[in-house]
Amino acid sequence: MSQPQSAAEAEMASLIVEALNLEGVEPTEIDPAAPLFGKGLGLDSIDALELALEISKRYGVQMKSDDENNREIFASLASLTAHVMATRPA
Amino acid sequence: MTVGDFFSLTRPSLFLVSGGHRWSVEEYLERAARVAAQLGASAAPVINLCEQRAAFLVAYMAALLSARTTLLPSSRAAEAVAAVAAEYPGSVVVDDALVAAATADRGSELSAAPLATEVNADFVAMIGFTSGSTGVPTRHAKRWGTVAASTVHNAAALRAAIPPELSGKQPWVVGTVPSQHMYGMELTVLLPLLDGMGIHAGRPLLPEEVAAALAEVPEPRVLVSTPAHLRAIVASGVVLPKTAVVACATAPLDAELAAQVEAATGGILVEMFGSTETCILAHRRTAQERWWTPYTGVELHPESEHTRVSAPWFLQDERLLDLVERDDRGRFSLLGRSADLVDVAGKRASLGDLNQRLLRIPGVVDGVIFQPQQSRGLVRRLAAMVVAPGLTTEQLREALAPAMDPVFLPRPLLLVPSLPRTAAGKLPRATLEEALADLLSAGAAKRGVADV
């Protein structure tokens, strides 16, 4: 692993593993900087939808499917966590 | 039939809406003519990579106006596009940026859109490429005459579900599906072009976005979606504007979800049955019917491992991988399909082939990929149990990823000491399901996760 997960990233990693049926992946083993989609965990567009729903439930953050920044937001565990933490309601 | 004929029968005043954009038919055709002018004089095919629905529609019409076939790669991944381009020398890639640039200056001189452009029945309206489980692209060429006839039936099936008090008004389509695949082409591209339905330019996916997009178009509304997207909408409890018709395809829908969708929309859910090979050929009201009603003229001929399909608008018979049972009224129900075939989120693969790919990975001693009956989440994924001492799940996943479409990547992907084989070496379905359930509840207990 290139860098350790922050507490927020660790929580997001568990959400990803549970929401996406990734049993067999240890949440703590997800590299915060590694790509989530395409390579890496090999997630697809249905996963993006499942993640967005779960994130809205857990954090009250509404993702947008036509957000031009989605590529960057969903790029890695680190970027996704940073986006959710920055936009979550107080 | 000419391009002008598309709209002359229905004369819709508005064609496309999305928030601030409202295009008349004339404006749409004018944009398409500008893109066509940009493409130059050759008749080489267009590779349409537009992600935005409005741009896709403009690029598709630009191709028609210049008598070019539209090519639809299985994905926008560079390799997939390059493979298609190599097969069609001279083909031109059209993407969102090209459409935006070609239509940026709409004040400049432009000869009127050539509405007299003849589109013949034998014109190849599109060639779709599917990746399949093997990664080798398969071509699906569609004649204009075939897709135009299918569209007439699709329109009739959807319009029949619109209540009488709204039947005189222009229906508006909102799609959660991309335009590139055959289902999206049929209902979000050809339906608006040939049946005078309006189209919402967005591709809303999240429940709140779907509700907002529906609210932006007038009644009667037609939502074009999939079981996974509808399941998300129902689970969210979002309040939807009254939607007369919901079309659903890509994977089987259950009657319970269909009834929930009807309750949430106040409309009728029409499930559409078809395949990339045949286009849509039957429909049913899933909340109330188990039997599919084929379009008039469609004939199904059950054969041992598949079903042969004929229709007056097919050039030749096509083959469905599903097995069907027919009733005396000409309707049919699905008996399942060859046990080897799996369907995940509308994509199909051979289980035998996927398993071969798993077993070929160096370090894998034994292993099985299967589709469990029960699955959490929006789609039924595949699962795998693998014996591979010395490999981590991460290494396994990395080795599997290049060999298959991501949708088939098994999850859970579990490393086990051995598979529950019978004395004869077989892996009975029930035993696999049980072993998987045990492993998952053990894993959940270990992580302190409630088993829901």
Side-chain angles (χ1 to χ4, degrees):
Chain A
M1 190 181 296
S2 55
Q3 57 185 112
Q5 292 174 352
S6 68
E9 284 165 357
E11 194 186 328
M12 183 66 75
S14 312
L15 176 144
I16 291 173
V17 167
E18 285 164 42
L20 304 183
N21 273 330
L22 290 172
E23 288 86 353
V25 175
E26 280 302 323
T28 53
E29 282 171 11
I30 299 180
D31 181 345
L36 286 176
F37 290 79
K39 299 217 172 65
L41 294 176
L43 305 184
D44 56 37
S45 70
I46 299 283
D47 293 313
L49 176 58
E50 305 229 38
L51 271 185
L53 293 171
E54 200 54 38
I55 285 169
S56 129
K57 229 188 283 173
R58 194 85 62 95
Y59 297 96
V61 172
Q62 291 296 339
M63 317 290 294
K64 287 202 169 59
S65 52
D66 60 351
D67 191 326
E68 286 173 5
N69 303 318
N70 271 348
R71 230 170 276 257
E72 287 100 77
I73 294 170
F74 282 96
S76 65
L77 175 62
S79 60
L80 180 61
T81 310
H83 172 81
V84 169
M85 291 304 134
T87 48
R88 74 189 294 185
Chain B
M1 160 179 234
T2 68
V3 169
D5 293 337
F6 296 180
F7 300 103
S8 64
L9 298 172
T10 47
R11 297 201 178 282
S13 56
L14 259 190
F15 176 69
L16 176 140
V17 159
S18 172
H21 313 282
R22 303 179 81 82
W23 296 358
S24 64
V25 168
E26 289 70 28
E27 184 177 348
Y28 166 60
L29 291 171
E30 182 231 289
R31 286 171 188 262
R34 286 184 190 278
V35 172
Q38 185 103 349
L39 295 179
S42 99
V46 164
I47 302 180
N48 191 335
L49 297 187
C50 297
E51 289 191 65
Q52 293 167 12
R53 201 180 301 286
F56 187 96
L57 281 156
V58 167
Y60 189 68
M61 178 54 79
L64 286 178
L65 290 176
S66 45
R68 295 162 182 268
T69 291
T70 290
L71 306 178
L72 303 167
S74 60
S75 82
R76 283 187 201 85
E79 313 88 77
V81 177
V84 170
E87 220 180 307
Y88 297 87
S91 53
V92 207
V93 170
V94 178
D95 58 12
D96 292 334
L98 188 147
V99 172
T103 55
D105 176 16
R106 301 196 29 249
S108 64
E109 191 73 21
L110 175 77
S111 52
L115 293 179
T117 305
E118 189 74 33
V119 187
N120 294 316
D122 284 329
F123 171 67
V124 180
M126 66 194 76
I127 304 178
F129 295 82
T130 49
S131 58
S133 58
T134 58
V136 179
T138 312
R139 290 162 35 104
H140 304 276
K142 299 290 174 189
R143 292 162 65 246
W144 181 259
T146 302
V147 294
S150 279
T151 300
V152 169
H153 289 283
N154 292 339
L158 296 176
R159 282 183 183 267
I162 295 175
E165 66 273 19
L166 291 172
S167 64
K169 300 175 74 180
Q170 180 189 20
W172 280 84
V173 174
V174 174
T176 66
V177 295
S179 311
Q180 276 82 1
H181 302 137
M182 209 50 80
Y183 172 52
M185 277 300 297
E186 287 191 81
L187 296 193
T188 68
V189 178
L190 297 168
L191 192 63
L193 286 186
L194 295 174
D195 191 62
M197 293 196 188
I199 176 81
H200 188 285
R203 191 201 154 191
L205 209 51
L206 294 165
E208 290 78 11
E209 296 171 348
V210 175
L214 285 168
E216 282 177 11
V217 301
E219 288 193 84
R221 303 182 177 95
V222 177
L223 177 63
V224 174
S225 194
T226 71
H229 298 161
L230 292 174
R231 198 164 289 130
I233 289 170
V234 166
S236 75
V238 71
V239 178
L240 296 177
K242 190 163 169 52
T243 302
V245 188
V246 181
C248 180
T250 69
L253 183 70
D254 56 272
E256 188 190 350
L257 180 57
Q260 289 169 332
V261 171
E262 292 198 347
T265 57
I268 289 178
L269 185 139
V270 182
E271 189 176 1
M272 319 290 272
F273 178 86
S275 68
T276 306
E277 290 77 15
T278 59
C279 293
I280 297 165
L281 54 81
H283 62 101
R284 67 176 175 183
R285 185 172 179 186
T286 311
Q288 299 180 353
E289 295 174 305
R290 185 172 77 89
W291 294 88
W292 295 92
T293 304
Y295 291 157
T296 307
V298 169
E299 283 179 35
L300 301 175
H301 313 276
E303 296 184 353
S304 61
E305 289 288 305
H306 62 269
T307 304
R308 193 163 51 80
V309 188
S310 61
W313 53 91
F314 290 178
L315 212 50
Q316 70 217 9
D317 288 1
E318 298 286 352
R319 178 185 280 211
L320 277 177
L321 295 169
D322 307 82
L323 303 175
V324 304
E325 165 193 19
R326 289 172 302 175
D327 75 356
D328 51 12
R329 293 165 56 188
R331 301 179 308 172
F332 66 93
S333 71
L334 301 179
L335 292 175
R337 55 178 87 98
S338 107
D340 181 52
L341 193 71
V342 284
D343 187 317
V344 181
K347 292 193 177 177
R348 290 175 163 199
S350 149
L351 261 187
D353 181 60
L354 295 174
N355 273 293
Q356 282 307 312
R357 277 157 202 277
L358 170 66
L359 295 172
R360 273 204 294 270
I361 295 173
V364 171
V365 177
D366 197 2
V368 61
I369 297 179
F370 67 109
Q371 191 170 35
Q373 284 304 323
Q374 294 297 324
S375 140
R376 284 188 288 141
L378 300 172
V379 302
R380 253 177 85 207
R381 299 276 183 182
L382 303 182
M385 289 187 273
V386 186
V387 184
L391 287 185
T392 64
T393 45
E394 202 178 339
Q395 289 168 325
L396 256 183
R397 207 178 302 275
E398 273 166 18
L400 274 174
M404 57 185 71
D405 190 294
V407 86
F408 300 119
L409 279 177
R411 61 183 71 180
L413 174 60
L414 298 170
L415 281 169
V416 292
S418 66
L419 292 184
R421 289 192 183 276
T422 63
K426 291 197 182 309
L427 288 168
R429 174 93 203 186
T431 316
L432 279 178
E433 300 258 3
E434 209 172 296
L436 179 68
D438 287 350
L439 283 165
L440 291 183
S441 58
K446 195 177 113 208
R447 288 201 312 276
V449 180
D451 194 9
V452 285

